[in-house]
Amino acid sequence: MLNNYPLLTIMIFLPLAGCLLLLSLWNRTSFARSVAFGVAAVELVLAGWLYGAWRGLEAVPTKLSGYLLLEDATWIPAFGIRYTLGLDGISLLMVMLTAFTFCVALAVSWHAIKERVVLFLTLMLIMESGIMGVFLSLDLALFYLFWEIMLIPMFFLIGVWGHGRKIYSTIKFFLFTMFGSLLMLLAIITLHLLYAKQSGVATFGLPELLHTQLPFNAQLWLFAAFFVAFAIKFPLFPLHTWLPDAHTDAPTAGSVILAGLLLKTGSYGLIRFGYPLFPLAAHAITPLFYTLALLGIFYASLIAFAQDDMKRLIAYSSIGHMGYVAIGIAAWDPVALSGSIVQMANHGVTTGALFCMIGMLDERAHTREIAAFGGLWGKMPLWSFFFLIFSLTSLGLPGLNSFVGEFLILAGTIHKSPVVVVLSFIGIILPLIYMVRLLQEVLFQKERKPLLLADLQLREVAILSALLLLDLWVGVHPAPLLDMIHLPVQLLTGGMP
Amino acid sequence: MTPCDFIALMPLLMLAAGSVLCLLIGVVKPGRYLYAASTIIVILALIWSCAIPAGAVLPGISITPFSRFSSAFLYGTGIIALLLASSYNSRCGIVGEEYPATFLFALTGMGVACAATDLLMLFLGLETFTFAFYILVAIKRDSDSGGEAGLKYLLNGTLSAAILAMGMALIYASAGTLKLAELVQGNSSQEPLFLAGGCLILLGMAFKLSLVPAHLWTADVYQGATAPMTALLSTASKGASLVALLHLLPLFGNWSGLHDIFWLLAVFSMLAGNLAALVQKNLKRMLAWSSIGQMGYVALALVATPAGGVRAAVFYLVVYAVAGMAAFGVIAALSDKDECAAIEAYRGLGFRSPLAGVVLAVAMFSLAGIPPTAGFMGKFVVFTAALRGGEAALALVGILAALIAVFFYLRIVVVLYMKPAEAQSEPVRTLDDSEMASLLLPMVIMILLGVYPQPLLELLEKILS
């Protein structure tokens, strides 16, 4: 029944259609805000509806096992590019995360963005389309197209509404990503040509390309290109240097989307395309992947400890947390991979929440320097309460969501590589040091500068409560999400469903 | 000449007659209406070439689907350039009928070059439009840089024409005919004299396409010429030259040296063009250097000629021309008496003149090859052809050069939207309708080709076979 409607196309192109509407509201900023938020909310409702319906959809098998919805149409037959979209449990989780994050990002920038509001909203909606497309494409050329499209709005978001060295940061962000993407483009075309040579069919479709017979050497080169592209987005040490700059200088909404979604496109790409397409090469580089992930965890934690700027600190902690996602993918074990996927969503919610909160503080105090604050527990009790909870979440406190993800990742990896797990346990301690220091200095220490700070408003409390509820829900009862991704994960890791 | 031939040749006749009429009527009653009249003539020629499927085979010239569509494309760029020139010229004091007349003359030459079937006609077509450009580049008489550009173009251009003529002479000496079809069949392509001639022709064409090492005129001429002229020079002239080059390629048969020559042209053009563009402070110079880099990608496609490189090269050139037209069009539309060409002059322009800003930004994204603009599809086709031809190393160089290019194209976008305008900057002039149309049209094409290039690819497939 559901499959009769092009739901996935609607999910992708509804925000773009919203843009056209926004362009006609160029001078009516407050109405435009509501329209943009309305579009994002409709997306969220659609995503929620899909979530409610996924069991029913699973009962009706599609052409590809594991997929709940498929859409397919010819697009550019001259190149063999098709418009193929597919939704499985993993993409559904990512789609839900995307729809939710955009609602948060739009809500949080309601008052923070005062200049060129309609342009800002337009770019946000274009980006939502792009990211949805990335998570739903099953044609490599289409995927690449969306992958690049989502960059342009972010480039403007940081460059126009950012602070500090925004131009430097945004160009660095764009060039880093382009470097990886262009290599990946060559690899995609090469893969397409190899498959065309073997089977006589010119296609970029993932399901077909999975059957390409590749010698190990070719796999290694092609995988290397994919890996670099995804590792930059991830970001994996030592390709992470764009992230702290981009995060710090982006407006709050930009940081929330960067942390919540753009980083996830890297790990998603690796799970969806990199590993399945080049299994031998992926297996061969596992030790390297582990090493880089661990180095990232330790390195980022140590650097985070030395930060004066709260936003930069969270940005570095973000690199560390993504290291665990990397370990789960590297292990390529059903349990660890489920953990990684859940952790992708968790990290999006939690880090997104922390960036929101720092944004709220910044709006009031016009500084993010840790040394400027102190004693906020007394002055801003609500803010402090949320900040404490989200910090504890990001530290992996049991009962909250990050614990679930990290636990699964480590539990799944321990069969494969005990050494890595032992080292990552040490890595878990490190965030404790810098987060506790942050909490102590900002919340509990004596007031250091006389700042007039008002506590949270209703809108802000509502945003944070929504985020907190999600954290709690996943922390206490992750089973529905795990069920949802169970089948695709089993299919990916080659186990029995 | 049968009536059918007459119908097929009509666009060329219209343009040539229009050019002469312009000169004659202009003496009696000069005025801006001549621009409008010429534009209408070119539009008619364009429609005629596209819509009337008449073919003709005459001595030296034959109207084929390929020649019809390639000349139609060139007329299209001509229309936009004329629309831009019309108000630009009246602003900066270029009056007189010689401009539209020479312009139509140039388009006639391009049409001839597209349809030529022997070396002599080809030479005639190429030099006709180049000759017209010598005049048009230097037409602003009170401008020093215009004079300098005209002189540089003339000296370099005559040298290249001489080289081209010498090459044709050598080929004639070796094969005893000038007809392309007979030359291809005559299987004399491995003779040293013939190859020497062929290489000289390639050098002459490299000049017209501004491929390294015959590129040095490009930046100065682009900078000195008036902006609408630069727009035509960087798009239509390149397009006509590419079409001529495609006529010549079969001469070489399967001579392996051709591959090596294009390989070197591609590598050096991509790297030199894009690296030099990094340090330019003048938008026209930057676009000039970057166009050298862009032509490198055309050469990259031609390296892989057996693997569908010709289609890729033509597609890439079309895509490049549309973006180039948009970029130079913005410069032309924003220039008042003086040309608005320093990159810093574009600070904050995206908000001061939204339409021009968006068009320029989309053009930059397209030239940088970022989806959803046409430039991405162009890069995609070229790299597919190169990889299919087994040119992985060259494709890698191309990708790295593209990364460099992303940087300097983005710099323009940054200036447009992320740097505040200087306080004392002059207000931007408002665009008139014809300028808006001539900016919007390339932008729409850029987006359409970027999202759905299938029709153009099909058309190229059909007319190239």
Side-chain angles (χ1 to χ4, degrees):
Chain A
M1 186 193 57
L2 268 175
N3 1 15
N4 296 337
Y5 299 98
L7 261 183
L8 305 181
T9 304
I10 295 175
M11 290 293 291
I12 294 176
F13 289 101
L14 185 71
L16 266 187
C19 290
L20 295 181
L21 192 61
L22 281 181
L23 288 179
S24 63
L25 299 171
W26 203 253
N27 292 317
R28 301 172 61 190
T29 42
S30 56
F31 186 50
R33 276 197 187 100
S34 315
V35 169
F37 187 77
V39 172
V42 172
E43 289 276 292
L44 184 60
V45 170
L46 278 174
W49 185 39
L50 281 173
Y51 173 70
W54 76 265
R55 276 175 204 280
L57 288 170
E58 203 176 59
V60 190
T62 53
K63 264 192 287 178
L64 286 177
S65 55
Y67 282 87
L68 308 169
L69 286 175
L70 284 177
E71 281 173 33
D72 185 44
T74 45
W75 177 28
I76 312 178
F79 301 156
I81 301 178
R82 295 184 69 80
Y83 175 79
T84 314
L85 304 176
L87 179 89
D88 69 354
I90 303 173
S91 6
L92 178 53
L93 183 63
M94 289 300 121
V95 164
M96 286 157 58
L97 180 70
T98 308
F100 178 73
T101 309
F102 269 93
C103 285
V104 170
L106 282 171
V108 87
S109 45
W110 205 271
H111 297 301
I113 303 290
K114 291 190 182 69
E115 285 181 336
R116 316 195 198 291
V117 177
V118 181
L119 185 63
F120 171 82
L121 298 170
T122 312
L123 290 171
M124 288 287 277
L125 290 185
I126 294 176
M127 190 146 54
E128 180 161 15
S129 281
I131 295 175
M132 286 284 178
V134 165
F135 288 136
L136 291 173
S137 302
L138 283 188
D139 185 285
L140 265 78
L142 184 65
F143 167 77
Y144 185 81
L145 210 77
F146 283 123
W147 174 268
E148 296 275 279
I149 286 175
M150 67 182 185
L151 286 186
I152 299 175
M154 187 47 96
F155 171 72
F156 282 104
L157 223 58
I158 301 175
V160 178
W161 292 274
H163 349 258
R165 294 197 302 165
K166 57 185 183 179
I167 292 175
Y168 166 83
S169 299
T170 194
I171 290 186
K172 191 172 177 182
F173 158 74
F174 204 93
L175 284 184
F176 262 75
T177 327
M178 272 308 273
F179 172 69
S181 317
L182 286 173
L183 288 179
M184 182 166 75
L185 178 64
L186 280 191
I188 290 177
I189 297 175
T190 310
L191 185 66
H192 157 81
L193 292 174
L194 286 173
Y195 182 75
K197 208 186 259 174
Q198 284 169 16
S199 68
V201 183
T203 179
F204 284 90
L206 177 68
E208 290 88 5
L209 291 180
L210 285 175
H211 301 299
T212 322
Q213 303 294 322
L214 288 173
F216 179 70
N217 238 353
Q219 277 206 19
L220 208 56
W221 280 107
L222 295 178
F223 182 68
F226 273 76
F227 187 73
V228 169
F230 294 138
I232 288 173
K233 271 276 162 65
F234 220 106
L236 218 54
F237 178 87
L239 300 170
H240 66 279
T241 55
W242 62 271
L243 181 132
D245 289 322
H247 265 311
T248 314
D249 295 335
T252 305
S255 309
V256 170
I257 289 166
L258 264 175
L261 300 172
L262 287 205
L263 307 191
K264 309 308 178 287
T265 59
S267 43
Y268 176 84
L270 219 45
I271 294 172
R272 173 74 71 219
F273 300 104
Y275 268 68
L277 281 172
F278 315 106
L280 293 177
H283 184 73
I285 66 130
T286 303
L288 175 72
F289 200 7
Y290 277 140
T291 317
L292 293 181
L294 281 173
L295 275 175
I297 292 173
F298 283 97
Y299 174 82
S301 304
L302 289 178
I303 302 281
F305 190 70
Q307 296 307 313
D308 302 321
D309 183 327
M310 291 166 80
K311 210 169 174 186
R312 231 180 155 79
L313 186 148
I314 301 297
Y316 274 107
S317 88
S318 188
I319 301 174
H321 288 301
M322 284 307 281
Y324 290 96
V325 176
I327 287 177
I329 296 174
W332 206 246
D333 163 275
V335 178
L337 189 60
S338 309
S340 279
I341 294 166
V342 172
Q343 186 65 4
M344 275 154 67
N346 291 339
H347 176 263
V349 175
T350 310
T351 311
L354 285 170
F355 277 121
C356 284
M357 299 213 61
I358 292 168
M360 291 166 187
L361 193 63
D362 192 17
E363 276 171 49
R364 292 167 167 77
H366 303 291
T367 174
R368 300 183 304 253
E369 225 174 306
I370 298 172
F373 297 102
L376 289 186
W377 190 260
K379 284 203 281 186
M380 301 173 73
L382 273 172
W383 188 90
S384 307
F385 163 75
F386 280 112
F387 196 70
L388 182 65
I389 301 268
F390 286 124
S391 304
L392 291 177
T393 312
S394 99
L395 290 174
L397 192 76
L400 292 162
N401 59 0
S402 290
F403 173 77
V404 177
E406 281 174 9
F407 179 81
L408 286 172
I409 290 169
L410 297 182
T413 312
I414 201 154
H415 313 290
K416 300 248 172 171
S417 177
V419 184
V420 171
V421 174
V422 170
L423 287 171
S424 3
F425 265 112
I426 301 173
I428 289 187
I429 313 288
L430 293 174
L432 209 61
I433 305 173
Y434 63 78
M435 281 314 263
V436 168
R437 166 191 163 237
L438 177 69
L439 291 175
Q440 194 271 335
E441 293 212 18
V442 173
L443 297 187
F444 302 117
Q445 209 186 37
K446 259 188 216 155
E447 183 177 14
R448 282 184 277 194
K449 274 189 185 166
L451 292 167
L452 274 175
L453 298 172
D455 208 354
L456 300 181
Q457 295 159 348
L458 189 60
R459 172 182 63 96
E460 293 163 329
V461 173
I463 298 169
L464 296 176
S465 309
L467 288 158
L468 183 59
L469 278 177
L470 269 187
D471 271 4
L472 278 171
W473 173 48
V474 181
V476 177
H477 189 51
L481 292 186
L482 291 171
D483 280 351
M484 193 168 80
I485 61 172
H486 176 76
L487 180 64
V489 165
Q490 293 294 335
L491 287 170
L492 279 174
T493 50
M496 293 306 285
Chain B
M1 206 154 86
T2 63
C4 183
D5 291 343
F6 193 70
I7 291 174
L9 285 178
M10 200 59 197
L12 287 176
L13 298 175
M14 277 196 291
L15 291 170
S19 168
V20 176
L21 277 180
C22 242
L23 278 181
L24 290 177
I25 299 176
V27 177
V28 184
K29 188 173 181 292
R32 259 184 83 182
Y33 75 97
L34 284 172
Y35 284 91
S38 321
T39 313
I40 291 170
I41 291 177
V42 186
I43 291 176
L44 284 178
L46 169 81
I47 295 174
W48 195 291
S49 320
C50 288
I52 301 199
V57 182
L58 295 162
I61 257 191
S62 83
I63 306 291
T64 58
F66 181 58
S67 81
R68 271 173 43 223
F69 282 101
S70 48
S71 49
F73 170 70
L74 300 174
Y75 302 155
T77 55
I79 293 168
I80 296 179
L82 256 180
L83 284 176
L84 291 166
S86 160
S87 64
Y88 178 93
N89 287 357
S90 72
R91 281 202 303 278
C92 67
I94 301 173
V95 287
E97 67 283 357
E98 65 270 24
Y99 192 96
T102 320
F103 201 102
L104 291 181
F105 192 56
L107 290 182
T108 317
M110 289 177 191
V112 171
C114 289
T117 53
D118 74 25
L119 289 177
L120 216 51
M121 281 312 267
L122 196 66
F123 184 77
L124 207 63
L126 284 172
E127 290 315 312
T128 305
F129 77 74
T130 316
F131 182 75
F133 277 128
Y134 298 147
I135 300 167
L136 289 170
V137 163
I139 203 153
K140 200 174 172 190
R141 285 189 210 102
D142 54 349
S143 137
D144 290 342
S145 61
E148 184 196 334
L151 191 61
K152 275 189 178 153
Y153 192 40
L154 178 68
L155 291 178
N156 279 295
T158 35
L159 180 64
S160 91
I163 291 173
L164 205 58
M166 184 68 193
M168 289 175 177
L170 288 181
I171 285 188
Y172 183 65
S174 152
T177 175
L178 285 169
K179 293 203 166 38
L180 286 168
E182 289 175 21
L183 285 168
V184 173
Q185 281 170 1
N187 212 11
S188 51
S189 54
Q190 302 292 346
E191 274 178 39
L193 194 59
F194 189 94
L195 286 181
C199 289
L200 285 180
I201 290 184
L202 280 184
L203 184 57
M205 295 313 294
F207 165 83
K208 299 227 182 301
L209 285 168
S210 58
L211 287 165
V212 175
H215 64 288
L216 280 168
W217 58 278
T218 317
D220 291 333
V221 173
Y222 278 27
Q223 187 188 9
T226 57
M229 214 48 246
T230 317
L232 195 70
L233 194 58
S234 75
T235 56
S237 144
K238 297 271 194 293
S241 310
L242 179 70
V243 173
L245 184 60
L246 294 182
H247 283 316
L248 293 167
L249 280 187
L251 292 188
F252 294 89
N254 46 9
W255 180 50
S256 63
L258 190 66
H259 166 271
D260 301 344
I261 290 176
F262 276 119
W263 202 93
L264 289 172
L265 289 176
V267 167
F268 286 115
S269 302
M270 289 188 298
L271 289 178
N274 286 340
L275 284 173
L278 276 178
V279 293
Q280 303 301 325
K281 294 196 170 63
N282 179 303
L283 184 56
K284 280 167 101 183
R285 285 188 83 84
M286 190 211 94
L287 286 171
W289 280 105
S290 88
S291 86
I292 295 170
Q294 300 281 357
M295 286 306 117
Y297 289 95
V298 174
L300 169 60
L302 289 179
V303 171
T305 306
V310 170
R311 185 181 73 165
V314 176
F315 184 81
Y316 194 87
L317 195 107
V318 170
V319 161
Y320 156 76
V322 176
M325 207 71 213
F328 284 113
V330 169
I331 301 177
L334 291 180
S335 297
D336 228 325
K337 268 211 180 59
D338 301 311
E339 211 137 83
C340 172
I343 291 179
E344 285 299 306
Y346 287 81
R347 288 173 74 120
L349 187 95
F351 301 113
R352 288 188 291 152
S353 176
L355 176 73
V358 168
V359 173
L360 191 54
V362 173
M364 290 302 124
F365 281 122
S366 186
L367 288 169
I370 294 164
T373 55
F376 167 70
M377 287 297 167
K379 292 251 162 37
F380 192 91
V381 188
V382 166
F383 284 123
T384 309
L387 288 172
R388 191 182 290 135
E391 302 291 341
L394 196 56
L396 209 59
V397 175
I399 281 288
L400 293 179
L403 190 70
I404 301 171
V406 169
F407 179 74
F408 59 76
Y409 288 127
L410 277 190
R411 227 181 56 186
I412 304 297
V413 181
V414 164
V415 170
L416 281 178
Y417 288 97
M418 299 168 198
K419 293 207 170 143
E422 277 156 29
Q424 71 273 27
S425 59
E426 293 168 28
V428 189
R429 61 175 294 268
T430 43
L431 312 180
D432 61 31
D433 289 343
S434 70
E435 281 168 334
M436 281 209 207
S438 49
L439 293 186
L440 275 175
L441 187 69
M443 185 173 90
V444 171
I445 297 178
M446 273 188 277
I447 303 280
L448 279 184
L449 280 183
V451 178
Y452 193 58
Q454 178 66 19
L456 180 59
L457 287 164
E458 260 172 30
L459 179 71
L460 289 179
E461 187 80 73
K462 216 164 45 192
I463 61 176
L464 283 171
S465 60

